[in-house]
């Protein structure tokens, strides 16, 4: 019963809508039919008018005669075919037919070709058809039995068209789905800027190029920002974010905010519930948490720790402990290792400790670690470097703008827990060490000063020097200005290698 009421309402509303359209069309055709019946007189009136608006006024002011229109209106009932809202001053009156504004405008816009005999017959024929449609629609609205018949006919037609056997099979599946099941696996490029803006974008946005190609910029940055970490990962891979407080936060790659190539991304600090003063110091991309790889961590007070990667397989969004820290200590870096890497720690006192990863035994997450470097008073570790071979070069920079490159092989294995050997001479000329990075000949670096100045330079322009030398000028500083940092730029605008 409810369905039948619904169908009656649908048919009624549809009929009312069609009636409104038919009345509007019929009204236009009435005007054209009147014009064709009085064509010579109307042409003379229009020619005599100085402007189109005055011609329209003259057309509306005169009463016209049209036997065809008068006959059709009497047969279809004049009021039944009148459009809603049309004043009784227009249409068929005792003195003749009065044109409405819409009809007069249509007559003025009528093409001359409509005056041919064939076109006149078409107008009159269409007008008669519309009058018949109006009469039929009014009959439907007046007879409930016709509405019932239409419901029956329409449902019968639907059954003929869709009454075949169901083709799709409905099955009961109790499998649970989570958001990750709905994410398409694909490789994306994840970028992190120096000021902490992170984003991901599809890898296929980077076209393969021949040598010498210009390449695509991974992200636009402010004048005081640049990209210092970029890696390719699958949307189902994991990202481990280590904070200065020794906690690790877990993120799926597909949860990294997506951005266009011209977007900056979003601040990474907004993705985690960080405490006041806590910041992300390292992000690592991980495909799987196996037993053969480790997370190697270092703190400012010289403590190091190695924990199996599998220990980080089930962290919480609120973060878990990666290393226990003393009150005056903080985490400076974390890297994924294979258990046989070379470890280099560099302090702000210009010393470097080089030892093998095997010197540090694996420990659980909620432990403090062991001494990696013995520090003098007021000194601290600045950099954790993971070397693949002893032919890589260590770039060291000091606060007064000096620095140098030294091949790792020139350092000696000093052993874990020692003060290490001299990496650069710390003197009144050089000042304290502010940064150290493992670099290659083709790398580029960004030098950052306390005055907000950024200088981008190529590593090959910095000479290789001996371990205990003073170094060369990296940047000319203004009065009272210091070099505050050095970062390796992982992206260049010059060339993207072809795949």
């Amino acid at each position: 019963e409810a369905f039948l009421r619904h169908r009656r309402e649908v048919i009624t509303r549809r009929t009312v809508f069609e009636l409104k359209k038919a009345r509007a069309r019929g009204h236009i055709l009435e005007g054209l039919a009147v014009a064709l019946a009085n064509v010579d007189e109307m042409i003379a009136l229009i020619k005599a008018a100085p402007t189109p608006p005055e011609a329209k006024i003259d057309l509306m002011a005169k009463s016209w005669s049209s036997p065809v229109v008068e006959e059709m209106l009497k047969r279809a009932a004049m009021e039944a075919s009148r459009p809603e809202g049309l004043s009784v001053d227009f249409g068929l009156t005792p003195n003749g037919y009065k044109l409405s504004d819409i009809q007069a405008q249509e007559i003025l816009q009528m093409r001359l070709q409509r005056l041919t005999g064939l076109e006149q017959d078409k107008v009159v024929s269409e007008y008669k058809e519309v009058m018949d449609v109006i009469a039929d629609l009014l009959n439907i609205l007046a007879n409930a039995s016709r509405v019932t018949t239409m419901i029956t006919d329409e449902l019968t037609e639907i059954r003929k068209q869709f009454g075949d056997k169901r083709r799709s099979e409905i099955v009961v599946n109790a499998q649970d789905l989570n958001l990750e099941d709905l994410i398409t696996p694909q490789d994306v490029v994840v970028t992190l800027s120096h000021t902490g803006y992170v984003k991901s974008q599809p890898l296929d946005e980077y076209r393969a190029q021949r040598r010498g190609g210009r390449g695509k910029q991974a992200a636009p940055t402010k004048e005081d920002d640049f990209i210092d970490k970029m890696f390719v990962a699958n949307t189902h891979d994991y990202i481990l974010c280590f904070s200065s407080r020794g906690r690790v936060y877990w993120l799926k790659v597909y949860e990294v905010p997506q951005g266009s190539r011209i977007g900056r991304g979003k601040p990474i600090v907004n993705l985690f519930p960080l405490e006041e003063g806590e910041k992300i110091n390292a992000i690592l991309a991980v495909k799987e948490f196996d037993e053969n790889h480790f997370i190697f961590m270092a703190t400012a007070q010289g403590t190091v720790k190695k924990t199996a990667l599998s220990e980080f397989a089930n962290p919480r969004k609120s973060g878990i402990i990666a290393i226990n820290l003393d009150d005056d200590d903080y985490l400076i870096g974390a890297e994924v290792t294979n258990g046989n890497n070379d470890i280099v720690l560099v302090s702000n006192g210009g010393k470097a400790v080089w030892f093998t990863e095997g010197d540090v035994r694996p420990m659980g997450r909620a432990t403090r670690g062991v001494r990696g470097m013995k520090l003098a008073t007021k000194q601290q570790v600045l950099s954790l470097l993971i070397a693949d071979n002893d032919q890589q070069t260590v770039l060291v920079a000091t606060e007064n703008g000096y620095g140098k490159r030294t091949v790792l092989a020139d350092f000696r294995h000093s052993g874990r827990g020692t003060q290490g050997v001299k990496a650069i001479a710390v003197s009144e000329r050089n000042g304290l060490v502010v940064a150290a990075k493992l670099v290659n000949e083709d790398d580029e670096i960004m030098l950052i000063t306390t005055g907000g100045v950024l200088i981008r330079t190529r590593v090959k322009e910095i000479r290789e020097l001996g371990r205990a030398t003073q170094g060369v000028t990296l940047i000319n500083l203004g009065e009272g200005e210091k070099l505050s940092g050095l970062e390796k730029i992982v992206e260049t605008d010059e060339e993207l290698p072809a795949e």
Side-chain angles (χ1 to χ4, degrees):
E1 185 66 29
F3 178 73
L4 290 177
R5 285 199 304 270
H6 166 68
R7 292 305 304 169
R8 285 182 185 277
E9 183 179 357
V10 169
I11 291 175
T12 301
R13 288 187 176 187
R14 183 179 67 199
T15 304
V16 170
F17 174 75
E18 293 175 351
L19 178 61
K20 184 178 180 180
K21 286 179 59 179
R23 282 172 169 170
R25 181 58 181 166
H27 183 63
I28 297 297
L29 292 171
E30 278 180 20
L32 295 179
V34 170
L36 294 174
N38 302 273
V39 64
D40 295 331
E41 189 177 352
M42 282 194 177
I43 289 176
L45 185 150
I46 292 171
K47 289 175 65 177
T51 62
E54 291 185 41
K56 182 194 290 187
I57 294 173
D58 293 342
L59 287 172
M60 295 174 63
K62 186 175 176 59
S63 297
W64 305 92
S65 65
S66 175
V68 174
V69 172
E70 292 174 8
E71 178 189 351
M72 292 302 299
L73 288 177
K74 289 176 182 178
R75 197 174 76 182
M78 182 174 63
E79 292 303 320
S81 62
R82 177 185 293 275
E84 290 183 14
L86 183 66
S87 172
V88 294
D89 295 332
F90 301 107
L92 190 60
T93 66
N95 298 324
Y97 196 95
K98 299 284 286 186
L99 295 171
S100 69
D101 183 272
I102 295 175
Q103 289 173 324
Q105 186 64 37
E106 286 290 331
I107 291 171
L108 290 173
Q109 293 177 348
M110 183 172 62
R111 294 183 179 182
L112 290 176
Q113 70 178 25
R114 303 295 292 272
L115 300 179
T116 62
L118 182 60
E119 288 295 322
Q120 292 185 43
D121 291 341
K122 285 183 178 180
V123 170
V124 174
S125 176
E126 184 184 355
Y127 176 56
K128 291 179 179 179
E129 290 176 1
V130 170
M131 289 297 103
D132 291 339
V133 169
I134 291 174
D136 184 60
L137 294 173
L138 290 170
N139 182 264
I140 292 173
L141 295 175
N143 295 284
S145 59
R146 282 203 62 185
V147 175
T148 303
T149 302
M150 292 176 66
I151 293 174
T152 303
D153 293 342
E154 290 179 3
L155 292 178
T156 301
E157 185 61 30
I158 291 174
R159 184 174 63 184
K160 288 180 180 179
Q161 188 175 359
F162 302 106
D164 57 337
K165 187 178 180 181
R166 178 184 292 276
R167 297 177 184 179
S168 58
E169 182 182 359
I170 299 177
V171 297
V172 177
N173 191 341
Q175 181 180 358
D176 291 331
L177 292 177
N178 54 38
L179 178 61
E180 186 170 341
D181 296 324
L182 306 178
I183 302 298
T184 303
Q186 63 172 335
D187 289 336
V188 296
V189 178
V190 179
T191 58
L192 179 68
S193 74
H194 183 68
T195 55
Y197 283 85
V198 65
K199 73 169 183 176
S200 68
Q201 52 194 121
L203 180 62
D204 55 15
E205 288 190 6
Y206 293 84
R207 64 182 185 272
Q209 293 187 325
R210 296 183 181 275
R211 185 178 61 82
R214 179 69 182 160
K216 279 190 177 182
Q217 187 180 9
T221 51
K222 299 185 297 183
E223 292 184 359
D224 59 345
D225 200 6
F226 54 90
I227 302 299
D228 66 11
K229 191 167 185 63
M230 179 173 70
F231 55 86
V232 176
N234 190 275
T235 48
H236 286 210
D237 290 350
Y238 308 88
I239 297 178
L240 298 182
C241 301
F242 292 82
S243 78
S244 56
R245 297 284 178 86
R247 298 183 68 82
V248 59
Y249 299 91
W250 185 80
L251 193 68
K252 296 289 285 190
V253 172
Y254 65 77
E255 294 177 313
V256 176
Q258 293 186 354
S260 64
R261 192 173 57 83
I262 60 174
R264 289 179 58 202
K266 294 184 178 180
I268 192 171
V269 294
N270 292 349
L271 302 179
F272 309 111
L274 301 180
E275 299 178 4
E276 185 178 354
E278 185 178 13
K279 63 179 183 177
I280 300 298
N281 278 352
I283 65 171
L284 306 175
V286 176
K287 188 170 291 291
E288 57 182 354
F289 297 90
D290 57 50
E291 297 285 346
N292 301 321
H293 288 82
F294 302 88
I295 299 293
F296 199 96
M297 293 164 277
T299 74
Q301 295 300 317
T303 299
V304 295
K305 177 183 169 183
K306 181 173 73 173
T307 302
L309 186 57
S310 57
E311 293 271 345
F312 299 90
N314 297 304
R316 296 185 298 271
K317 285 287 184 182
S318 58
I320 58 174
I321 296 174
I323 182 173
N324 284 333
L325 297 172
D326 294 336
D327 292 338
D328 58 344
D329 203 1
Y330 61 90
L331 187 71
I332 61 141
E335 299 286 348
V336 177
T337 61
N338 59 20
N340 299 308
N341 289 110
D342 287 320
I343 310 297
V344 180
L345 301 178
V346 181
S347 73
N348 61 351
K351 296 292 185 70
V353 167
W354 178 16
F355 57 91
T356 59
E357 186 181 348
D359 292 343
V360 181
R361 62 179 177 85
M363 302 179 187
R365 283 190 301 102
T367 55
R368 182 179 177 277
V370 296
R371 176 181 290 181
M373 185 176 191
K374 186 177 181 181
L375 298 169
T377 305
K378 295 184 179 181
Q379 290 186 2
Q380 65 181 31
V381 175
L382 294 175
S383 301
L384 164 65
L385 309 178
I386 308 296
D388 296 322
N389 58 74
D390 61 4
Q391 294 306 305
Q392 291 181 272
T393 57
V394 179
L395 173 62
V396 183
T398 66
E399 62 182 351
N400 290 337
Y402 296 93
K404 67 181 181 69
R405 280 195 300 147
T406 304
V407 177
L408 183 59
D410 289 352
F411 293 78
R412 62 177 174 82
H413 278 266
S414 52
R416 180 183 66 80
T418 63
Q419 289 189 0
V421 297
K422 185 178 293 186
I424 189 172
V426 172
S427 60
E428 185 177 349
R429 166 186 176 266
N430 284 352
L432 296 174
V433 174
V434 293
K437 297 287 179 183
L438 279 174
V439 295
N440 295 313
E441 190 84 4
D442 298 327
D443 289 338
E444 292 187 3
I445 59 169
M446 188 73 78
L447 301 169
I448 310 146
T449 73
T450 54
V453 177
L454 279 77
I455 298 293
R456 182 171 181 163
T457 187
R458 295 179 179 86
V459 168
K460 61 185 176 184
E461 296 176 359
I462 303 172
R463 285 194 325 216
E464 287 189 6
L465 298 173
R467 187 171 50 76
T469 54
Q470 292 268 356
V472 297
T473 301
L474 299 180
I475 182 174
N476 291 318
L477 299 171
E479 185 176 353
E481 196 174 24
K482 298 287 186 180
L483 184 65
S484 62
L486 174 153
E487 294 291 344
K488 185 165 68 172
I489 301 174
V490 297
E491 173 207 26
T492 67
D493 293 335
E494 293 182 355
E495 181 180 323
L496 287 179
E499 292 182 353

